[in-house]
Amino acid sequence: MPPHINWLKDTGERRLSACGREIEIWKFNPEGDEAILSEWATHFRQHYCVDSDLAAMAAGTGKSHADFLQTILFPDAKTSPGPSLRSGDFGEILVADFIQFILGYWCPRQLRYQDRWNRQGSTQGSDIVGIRYVHPQGDHANDELFVVESKSGLSATDKNRLQDAVTDSMKDHLREAMTLNAMKQRLLVRGQAVEASWIQRFQNESDRPFKRVNGAAAVLDVDVYATTNLEETNTTGHQNEDNLRLLVIRGPSLMKLVHALYERAANEA
């Protein structure tokens, strides 16, 4: 488990949505531990380019590793839509960390960012996919496919970002097949046939039944959290409302943290 996960804590607080669904409230309080921040930056960087590939990727560009990451791979720090993409990527990666290291799902998320050809463009498909098996060998009807939509609110906004996540989650039943296909294709191209078969297990529900869980998550700066009426969130009309998990992660000065994390991830490469 990456050590920065220890900064993510369950507050024990629960809210109720307008339709009576429970909203979990977690807090994320990073500390100034240089060793942990460095490990976190490495973990974060791997989502865009594994370190073993970085030298070859930067070769021929005339750029240092840091410059290559900052100008070719990472969303721009200032030019729109770069800051909002940074915010969104940060939130997705943090929620994926939560799903993998706290809830215990397999969450193959790096492929989502490593295949992004335009650093100033968002990736299509469902945000986060988690997989969990009942048994190591053989199918079980309670094997889980967890599909999560994540939204970030790291600067002042009058939007309910949890509602935005719920609304986008309603589209996941249409995007699921394409997302799984893209994930399997990327794994096969990389020679990861075993991992591709783990994805394949969830591509034909009629012949191989499984449990589908959906999630809507909002990563919010504490100031945005304070002005968001989470109780107005409404999941009515969601195709999988009975298996829908609502999550909020709040933390202080998160946009400042995001830029610092990208800077460290580049400079320590």
Side-chain angles (χ1 to χ4, degrees), residues 111-216:
L111 300 175
R112 178 172 174 81
Y113 309 95
Q114 290 176 11
D115 285 351
R116 180 186 287 169
W117 66 271
N118 178 5
R119 72 183 186 119
Q120 292 287 79
S122 58
T123 307
Q124 301 301 307
S126 302
D127 290 341
I128 304 154
V129 174
I131 285 172
R132 184 159 61 194
Y133 287 96
V134 173
H135 303 300
Q137 302 292 334
D139 294 354
H140 191 284
N142 286 327
D143 292 343
E144 289 188 20
L145 180 69
F146 191 16
V147 183
V148 183
E149 287 299 312
S150 168
K151 298 296 180 184
S152 295
L154 308 189
S155 54
T157 178
D158 58 359
K159 295 181 178 181
N160 179 345
R161 298 300 278 157
L162 182 60
Q163 182 63 63
D164 290 342
V166 169
T167 300
D168 265 15
S169 179
M170 292 180 180
K171 306 172 188 175
D172 277 332
H173 73 290
L174 300 173
R175 299 186 293 207
E176 180 184 300
M178 292 180 287
T179 298
L180 293 175
N181 180 68
M183 293 173 68
K184 185 172 79 169
Q185 180 176 337
R186 291 164 183 162
L187 288 165
L188 289 172
V189 167
R190 287 165 172 75
Q192 296 176 260
V194 173
E195 290 86 347
S197 72
W198 299 344
I199 300 292
Q200 181 174 307
R201 183 264 176 271
F202 296 93
Q203 288 187 289
N204 186 352
E205 185 177 8
S206 59
D207 288 347
R208 304 175 72 183
F210 59 85
K211 181 179 179 180
R212 178 181 289 98
V213 182
N214 286 92

Side-chain angles (χ1 to χ4, degrees), residues 47-48 57 68-76 79-86 89 111-124 186 262:
H47 287 74
Y48 295 89
M57 293 296 294
F68 174 77
L69 289 165
Q70 291 281 31
T71 63
I72 302 296
L73 292 188
F74 292 165
D76 192 82
T79 305
S80 181
S84 64
L85 288 171
R86 285 187 169 206
D89 286 2
L111 300 175
R112 178 172 174 81
Y113 309 95
Q114 290 176 11
D115 285 351
R116 180 186 287 169
W117 66 271
N118 178 5
R119 72 183 186 119
Q120 292 287 79
S122 58
T123 307
Q124 301 301 307
R186 291 164 183 162
Y262 274 101

Side-chain angles (χ1 to χ4, degrees), residues 236-263:
T236 303
H238 195 289
Q239 293 83 354
N240 198 23
E241 188 175 4
D242 290 340
N243 291 295
L244 177 63
R245 188 166 186 169
L246 304 180
L247 169 71
V248 171
I249 299 174
R250 57 174 170 82
S253 304
L254 289 184
M255 199 63 213
K256 180 180 179 181
L257 172 66
V258 167
H259 289 310
L261 185 61
Y262 274 101
E263 190 74 17

Side-chain angles (χ1 to χ4, degrees), residues 223-244:
D223 293 334
V224 175
Y225 173 82
T227 60
T228 300
N229 190 350
L230 296 173
E231 287 81 1
E232 292 182 349
T233 304
N234 195 331
T235 68
T236 303
H238 195 289
Q239 293 83 354
N240 198 23
E241 188 175 4
D242 290 340
N243 291 295
L244 177 63

